Amino acid sequence: MTSGAEVDLNAVKGSEHGDGNVASGAALLSFTEAVLGRDQAALSESRAALLTAIGAAGIADVAGVIGAFEMMNRVANATGTPLDEPLVAQTAGVLPFVGADDFASAPESSDS
Amino acid sequence: MSDEISATQLYGADLAVRPEVATAHASLLMHATSAGEWWSAEERAAISQQVRAAQTAEPLAPWVSPSSVDGLIEPGPLSVGVVDAIWRITNHPGTLTAEWHAEVLASGVEPAAYVELAALVSMVVSLDTFALAVGRATLALPTAAADEAPAVGSTTDAGVADHWVPTVANDELPNVRKALTAVPLAFQMQGEILEAQYVPGGALAVPLDEDIWSLNRLQVELVATRVSNMNECFY
């Protein structure tokens, strides 16, 4: 982690926007994008880079986080899950910044 | 069965998969092909297989139903409407709307049966995405017992409140966990996966400056948020 630096939310929009000031952030984002893009060439390359950055245990744990959110995103979007009240206030300034106002789920997630 | 399967058996000795992840995945394999509360073992196996068919097919636009493409869907125990719903949740989770959900129910799917369907689709995608990420083939599904029928309606106190789907009132749960409470088996499996692969005890249980497994919390949240952004999901 970059000591003393704040997380840069631009990174949520893609690896081309930097590493978010998170340790190995660029490698983590490139790997995540290759997995969801199902791009085998990019996946092999980014997995090798991530292995160098965070090791074998790290790869398995990142794969777990990606898998967990592949599940949670589908559960949320398929069930019309509204944002929890505390998150509505906490994310009010963040969601438009990362383009979330344009998501198809936007009305359902903010109307509760 | 799940307690007897090791990470090495599932993914090989050269990967550093934690035992609790392997246990969760072994449970999920059994969960995917055993009878649920609304779908039989045979139907749940067919749902899981349709998820895999959707993931490996040539991409379709969200508005193109796989059942409308000649030869893409083979006849099976699932209705056309259910198969189309499986493919949509699998490949286009960012396009789901309340109107689309209402159309699925209008095709004859009971509200709680839809919850079980959506949960299973989501979990099989999760399992297969993990395998893809670590560079392994998808895990083989166990054979379903053809005569294993669902145990219908174990939860009768669920009702539609804040979600599109019926849920059981519980102020202790975050909404995304509450989403599956109408189907306890699905709710339990969701919890097992999250405990093994996200933050044990829930997102608020571990301070932001503490490590989770081999990662620090900021790394976990950066990856999670990027996945949600790519899936066009608020969570």
Side-chain angles (χ1 to χ4, degrees):
Chain A
M1 187 185 327
T2 305
S3 178
E6 291 187 359
V7 173
D8 180 1
L9 291 173
N10 272 302
V12 172
K13 293 187 278 192
S15 52
E16 70 272 22
H17 294 282
D19 64 4
N21 292 327
V22 173
S24 305
L28 289 165
L29 290 168
S30 294
F31 180 70
T32 302
E33 290 162 7
V35 172
L36 265 68
R38 298 186 174 273
D39 180 334
Q40 288 292 347
L43 187 49
S44 295
E45 186 179 335
S46 61
R47 190 189 294 117
L50 192 58
L51 180 64
T52 301
I54 64 174
I59 294 240
D61 287 341
V62 171
V65 175
I66 294 172
F69 273 75
E70 283 275 82
M71 173 184 70
M72 295 299 272
N73 292 165
R74 283 170 177 76
V75 168
N77 281 4
T79 61
T81 297
L83 270 181
D84 302 85
E85 280 301 323
L87 289 178
V88 172
Q90 290 174 14
T91 60
V94 175
L95 294 177
F97 182 75
V98 298
D101 277 357
D102 295 329
F103 295 169
S105 57
E108 289 75 31
S109 291
S110 56
D111 281 349
S112 63
Chain B
M1 176 183 173
S2 61
D3 291 341
E4 300 168 1
I5 290 185
S6 70
T8 298
Q9 286 173 290
L10 282 182
Y11 292 109
D14 56 328
L15 291 182
V17 176
R18 284 177 286 105
E20 50 268 56
V21 173
T23 299
H25 290 188
S27 296
L28 179 50
L29 288 171
M30 293 303 297
H31 176 80
T33 55
S34 301
E37 295 170 40
W38 293 89
W39 303 88
S40 70
E42 184 182 20
E43 289 167 332
R44 287 172 60 87
I47 291 166
S48 303
Q49 288 159 358
Q50 282 298 328
V51 171
R52 291 185 165 177
Q55 290 180 122
T56 55
E58 288 296 315
L60 295 176
W63 57 86
V64 176
S65 301
S67 62
S68 70
V69 179
D70 285 346
L72 188 56
I73 305 298
E74 294 181 4
L78 306 174
S79 72
V80 164
V82 168
V83 171
D84 288 345
I86 293 166
W87 281 57
R88 184 72 171 263
I89 298 170
T90 299
N91 287 339
H92 303 289
T95 69
L96 308 180
T97 63
E99 182 181 13
W100 172 85
H101 168 254
E103 288 172 358
V104 175
L105 298 192
S107 76
V109 179
E110 290 290 330
Y114 170 82
V115 173
E116 183 175 322
L117 175 74
L120 181 55
V121 170
S122 303
M123 291 171 192
V124 175
V125 171
S126 168
L127 183 71
D128 291 354
T129 302
F130 181 91
L132 175 69
V134 297
R136 291 293 186 271
T138 52
L139 299 176
L141 294 166
T143 302
D147 59 349
E148 196 177 339
V152 175
S154 65
T155 301
T156 57
D157 55 349
V160 175
D162 297 327
H163 301 62
W164 302 336
V165 299
T167 58
V168 176
N170 185 334
D171 292 338
E172 303 294 314
L173 292 173
N175 286 337
V176 74
R177 290 284 285 129
K178 199 185 297 180
L180 301 186
T181 47
V183 183
L185 278 174
F187 173 79
Q188 183 179 354
M189 191 67 245
Q190 180 196 37
E192 191 174 342
I193 295 169
L194 287 175
E195 282 291 300
Q197 296 179 207
Y198 182 44
V199 180
L204 301 178
V206 178
L208 286 173
D209 58 353
E210 286 191 11
D211 291 347
I212 300 173
W213 318 124
S214 64
L215 306 172
N216 70 51
R217 184 65 188 271
L218 291 180
Q219 291 174 316
V220 169
E221 298 304 333
L222 179 68
V223 169
T225 309
R226 184 67 186 125
V227 173
S228 294
N229 186 266
M230 292 182 74
N231 283 331
E232 298 193 1
C233 179
F234 277 76
Y235 272 90

